[in-house]
Amino acid sequence: VSLYLRRPEVKQESKQAEAEMSEHVDHDVLGVWQSSWFDPGAPGGWVVERVKISAGDGKLSLENDTDSGDYLWQGSGEFYDARFFCGMWKSRTHGPRPLGVFSFYVLPQGDCAAGQAFGPDTNGNVTRYDWALGRTAQSMLAAQQWIIRLPSPAIFHQAG
C-alpha cells in the first residue's frame, strides 16, 4: 500500500523507463525466483529464500520473503550486456548486515543466474557470499552447481 500519491507525470515517466529497460532485457526476469546464498555459519551452508523481482523507475527491484535465516532485505539493480545484472542491497530490518552490492551472470538457459554478494557479516567484517537464483528449485540447484564448479580465485603475490 502506497503511503503517498505519485504525480501523474512521474507515473508516466516510470512506465516509459520500465518500457525502455525491458527492451534491453532478452529474457523475462520479472516474478518470483528461488534463491539461495552461501553462509558458512548456516546449517547446510545454503540459506534458502524466495525473491520477487519487479520493474519500476528504470531499474529492477528485488525483495525477499523470510529466508531460512530470518533475514529480510531489498535491492535494486540493472542489466548490462543482457547477461550481467548488478546492483545494491540493503537490510529491511536494519540488523548487523545493513547494505552491500551484488552481481549475477544469467546462465545461457535463462532460467537461473549465478552470482555473488558483498557486504558485512554479523561481526561487521566485509565478506563475499555466493548466490544462486533459479525460476524453480531445480534451476536454483543448477546455479549452485555452476558456482561450486567455478575455479577458486587466484591469489596474487607481490613479486619480491
Side-chain angles (χ1 to χ4, degrees):
V1 176
S2 177
L3 299 178
Y4 61 93
L5 296 175
R6 287 185 161 184
R7 298 186 327 265
E9 63 273 13
V10 172
K11 188 173 184 179
Q12 182 61 33
E13 290 169 6
S14 295
K15 285 183 179 182
Q16 181 180 354
E18 182 177 332
E20 289 173 3
M21 178 181 57
S22 65
E23 290 176 12
H24 300 290
V25 178
D26 66 356
H27 44 276
D28 183 18
V29 298
L30 303 180
V32 177
W33 289 74
Q34 303 301 309
S35 171
S36 61
W37 49 278
F38 190 80
D39 179 357
W46 289 95
V47 176
V48 178
E49 62 191 357
R50 289 184 318 189
V51 172
K52 181 180 178 189
I53 300 178
S54 57
D57 296 328
K59 292 190 177 210
L60 293 175
S61 298
L62 295 85
E63 186 171 310
N64 77 329
D65 58 11
T66 303
D67 66 24
S68 59
D70 293 326
Y71 185 70
L72 298 174
W73 60 270
Q74 64 189 29
S76 65
E78 297 180 65
F79 267 94
Y80 301 91
D81 196 26
R83 289 278 176 212
F84 297 94
F85 179 54
C86 304
M88 295 184 66
W89 62 268
K90 66 180 180 178
S91 171
R92 292 183 359 230
T93 56
H94 305 291
R97 298 176 282 189
L99 60 96
V101 296
F102 64 83
S103 63
F104 284 102
Y105 170 67
V106 179
L107 297 174
Q109 59 268 37
D111 67 342
C112 58
Q116 295 181 331
F118 288 88
D121 63 15
T122 54
N123 297 318
N125 300 314
V126 174
T127 190
R128 174 184 60 91
Y129 300 94
D130 290 329
W131 194 356
L133 290 174
R135 278 297 191 182
T136 64
Q138 184 177 356
S139 59
M140 179 192 69
L141 292 172
Q144 284 180 358
Q145 290 303 309
W146 194 85
I147 291 169
I148 291 167
R149 287 191 305 266
L150 284 176
S152 296
I155 299 174
F156 297 99
H157 299 281
Q158 184 175 359

